[in-house]
Structure formats: C-alpha cells, structure tokens
C-alpha cells in the first residue's frame, strides 16, 4: 500500500483522515492542550462524544488554533456521537446542536449513533433504577436514523454513521436508510478483531473506525490475562521495526483499511502515535497479529446487559 496514505474515502466520495485523536476518558483540564498539541503534530481528525463530557475542552483547543491562524475549520474533521438518552427522533437535533455549541462549530463532519441501546430520555446520561440498574427506553434506533438523515439535509452534519452496532443492527439501518452509514466505529485491536463484522461492513461499503486500538491498557478489566501491550509477539514485532508497540498496533489498523483513533493527552505519545506513515508491516507480521485474537472486549457497556438492542 501507499505508505503516505493519510485519508480513507467514504462511499459518497467524502474523505476522513486515517488517524484521529481519541478523547474518551481524557482527564478534565488536559484535553484542550492535547488538542492543540495534536494539531501542532499534524492531526486533523478529532473523535468526540457528548458522553465524554469534554467537548467544550476540545472546542477550546480547536478554536485557539483557528484564531492563531494555524488551521481553518475546513482543515479538520470532527466526529461526535449521539448519546443513548437522546434516541427519540424529536431529540436528535437538540442533542446535535448542544454538541455544536460545545465544539464551537457550525457543522460536524461525522455524527454517529453512539450505541444501539436507548436509555430513559433526559439529561442524566446514566438514568438508574433504585437498585442501580440502567433505566431503558424503548426508542428504536431505526427511527433515530431518520432524524440523523435530517441533520444532513439541514447542513448540520456532513456524514452520518453508527458505533458499536452488530451485523444485524447495521442491516436494519440499511433496510430503512435513505442515506446509508459511512462508518461503524467499533472496538478493534489485536485481541479483538470482530472479523465477521468488519467483513460485513466492507461488503456494504461502510468504513471501520477502530477505537481502543492499543487494547485500552488504562481501562482494561482486571483479569489474569496478559495485556496486549505486554504480549511477547507484539514486542518482537516492535523490535524488528525499531518501533514501539503502539505504533505497530496503529499501523496494523491502517493496513486493514481502518480509520484509527488512539487516545493520549501526552504530547510525546500523541506525536509517536502519528508517526506511522514511514514503515509497513510485512505479510507475516500482519498474520501473526491476526493470530493473537482472544475475543477480549474491554468496552462492553455491560450496564446495558438485558437491553433488547444490546449488541454483543
């Protein structure tokens, strides 16, 4: 493949930078500087969500660099996501406009339905019963999708997609879609390939965006399994290319044709994660990484177990 390839093209001809800065669980007070550092490094894609509770900080970082003249709004690709408590069609535009205000922009390049499950409507992002379990809503994401399409019609959003949807759920959207999803953003790394889902999306012309591409070491469940970053096979491959394990895992996603959104607030790590365009993994190493599959999910959204639209 072309080592300098830095964008992926959607079925509609629009493009997305192949690497973006993830902002999930980035500590409050550090996100603005991380965004500014990422722009200085060369990032032009930022992955956000209302549920991350830090979109205002992302907006501050983007606005600062625009005001400095380093970038213009059209230079960057901004993704955000519709949270589970806003799935009713009449709430979608309001939720989107809240995100636009927080990000200090007039439009989003990509807006995703964050999860297929709907929670009880309201501003509480995790509404709970007295016993602590999540209160579900019976809103159906296929109706939510029609409201997402209207956002495109109205110019608030350029592209729409889904996140954490399984094959059957993607197909249900396709069955009703006037504008089909450009992306399915899913957990994807060497311990969790979701091969059936990625093949299905490829067949349908839907791009995979891989979140937690490094195995989310900071958010891993406590198990006796070896963390991906400590896998001896990965260490061997990294040594072969004189690269760190994170760069190998990011390059691995790119060579599968995926968009990848590693998260960091440390400038040196942000820079390192972006430095993946000058080398290519050979076929043997790609196969070795593929063989590490453990079906090990670090982001199961387990509090939604029992929801009729739970995807896993």
């Amino acid at each position: 493949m072309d080592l300098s390839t830095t964008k992926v093209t959607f079925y509609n001809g629009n493009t997305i930078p192949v690497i973006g800065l993830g902002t999930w669980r980035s500590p409050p007070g550090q996100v603005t500087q991380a965004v500014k550092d990422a722009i200085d490094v060369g990032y032009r894609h930022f992955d956000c969500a209302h549920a991350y509770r830090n979109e205002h900080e992302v907006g501050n970082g983007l606005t600062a660099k625009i005001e400095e003249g380093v970038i213009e709004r059209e230079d960057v690709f901004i993704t955000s996501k519709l949270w589970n408590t806003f799935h009713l069609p009449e709430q979608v535009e309001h939720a989107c406009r809240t995100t636009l205000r927080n990000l200090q922009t007039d439009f989003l390049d990509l807006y995703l339905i964050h999860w297929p499950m709907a929670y009880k409507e309201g501003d509480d992002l995790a509404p709970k019963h007295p016993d602590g379990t999540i209160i579900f809503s019976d809103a159906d994401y296929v109706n939510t999708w029609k409201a997402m399409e209207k956002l495109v019609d109205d110019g608030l959003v350029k592209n729409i997609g889904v996140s954490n949807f399984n094959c059957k759920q993607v197909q249900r959207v396709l069955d009703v879609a006037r504008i089909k999803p450009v992306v399915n953003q899913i957990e994807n790394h060497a311990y969790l390939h979701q091969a059936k889902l990625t093949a299905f999306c490829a067949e349908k012309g839907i791009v995979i965006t891989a979140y937690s591409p490094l195995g989310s070491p900071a958010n891993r469940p406590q198990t006796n399994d070896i963390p991906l970053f400590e896998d001896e096979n990965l260490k061997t491959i990294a040594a072969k290319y004189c690269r760190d394990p994170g760069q190998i895992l990011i390059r691995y996603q790119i060579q599968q044709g995926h968009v990848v959104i590693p998260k960091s607030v440390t400038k040196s790590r942000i820079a390192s994660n972006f430095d993946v365009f000058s080398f290519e993994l050979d076929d043997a190493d790609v196969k070795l990484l593929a063989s590490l599959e453990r079906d090990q999910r670090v982001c199961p959204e387990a509090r939604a177990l029992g929801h009729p639209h739970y995807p896993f």
Side-chain angles (χ1 to χ4, degrees):
M1 66 181 295
D2 182 356
L3 293 179
S4 65
T5 298
T6 59
K7 292 187 177 183
V8 170
T9 301
F10 296 144
Y11 73 83
N12 60 13
N14 294 337
T15 60
I16 181 173
V18 72
I19 295 181
L21 182 73
T23 59
W24 178 56
R25 289 193 176 178
S26 292
Q30 300 181 32
V31 181
T32 296
Q33 188 59 49
V35 168
K36 292 194 287 187
D37 288 341
I39 289 171
D40 290 340
V41 165
Y43 287 74
R44 294 296 182 266
H45 173 191
F46 297 88
D47 185 83
C48 317
H50 177 75
Y52 300 167
R53 303 174 190 262
N54 59 12
E55 289 192 322
H56 60 291
E57 294 190 43
V58 175
N60 289 340
L62 292 169
T63 298
K65 285 299 178 180
I66 290 171
E67 291 178 347
E68 289 174 21
V70 177
I71 56 169
E72 296 180 357
R73 169 62 184 92
E74 290 71 19
D75 296 331
V76 292
F77 190 104
I78 305 175
T79 299
S80 187
K81 308 177 192 77
L82 178 78
W83 183 240
N84 306 357
T85 53
F86 305 110
H87 277 206
L88 286 178
E90 59 266 29
Q91 295 184 326
V92 171
E93 181 178 336
H94 172 74
C96 181
R97 288 188 181 277
T98 297
T99 277
L100 292 173
R101 284 195 302 273
N102 287 335
L103 290 170
Q104 301 169 44
T105 183
D106 294 329
F107 67 94
L108 294 173
D109 297 277
L110 177 60
Y111 200 39
L112 309 175
I113 300 179
H114 203 151
W115 291 88
M117 311 85 64
Y119 296 166
K120 179 185 176 184
E121 293 74 26
D123 292 328
D124 184 352
L125 301 186
K128 295 182 178 66
H129 294 288
D131 65 0
T133 58
I134 291 286
I135 304 173
F136 299 149
S137 164
D138 60 3
D140 192 326
Y141 56 82
V142 295
N143 297 320
T144 309
W145 187 255
K146 296 172 186 177
M148 296 283 284
E149 291 175 327
K150 188 174 183 299
L151 298 177
V152 179
D153 297 337
D154 293 343
L156 298 178
V157 173
K158 291 190 173 183
N159 304 279
I160 49 178
V162 296
S163 182
N164 301 298
F165 277 49
N166 63 33
C167 293
K168 290 182 179 178
Q169 292 167 335
V170 172
Q171 187 60 57
R172 281 193 75 217
V173 172
L174 291 173
D175 288 344
V176 303
R178 175 171 54 88
I179 303 172
K180 80 175 188 179
V182 295
V183 156
N184 188 9
Q185 184 178 127
I186 60 173
E187 181 180 343
N188 200 281
H189 47 76
Y191 279 0
L192 182 75
H193 289 87
Q194 305 205 66
K196 178 182 175 183
L197 178 58
T198 58
F200 175 82
C201 288
E203 177 188 333
K204 302 297 182 179
I206 298 170
V207 171
I208 293 295
T209 295
Y211 73 75
S212 297
L214 311 185
S216 198
N219 303 301
R220 234 176 124 263
Q222 295 300 313
T223 69
N224 294 323
D225 293 331
I226 298 172
L228 175 56
F229 244 58
E230 297 176 17
D231 190 282
E232 290 301 325
N233 292 292
L234 175 60
K235 289 181 179 179
T236 298
I237 294 171
K240 172 181 174 180
Y241 293 90
C242 298
R243 295 283 175 161
D244 66 47
Q247 291 171 315
I248 298 299
L249 292 171
I250 292 167
R251 184 71 206 178
Y252 179 53
Q253 292 293 334
I254 291 172
Q255 288 186 215
Q256 294 179 82
H258 299 169
V259 175
V260 59
I261 47 171
K263 184 211 84 174
S264 181
V265 293
T266 304
K267 186 171 185 178
S268 59
R269 175 56 61 187
I270 289 170
S272 175
N273 288 345
F274 197 73
D275 183 18
V276 293
F277 296 108
S278 60
F279 75 101
E280 183 173 7
L281 301 173
D282 64 33
D283 290 345
D285 292 324
V286 169
K287 289 178 181 177
L288 179 55
L289 288 167
S291 75
L292 301 184
E293 175 66 58
R294 296 186 178 194
D295 197 25
Q296 187 176 96
R297 192 181 299 277
V298 296
C299 303
E301 187 64 10
R303 58 188 176 174
L305 281 167
H307 194 292
H309 293 153
Y310 186 70
F312 308 137

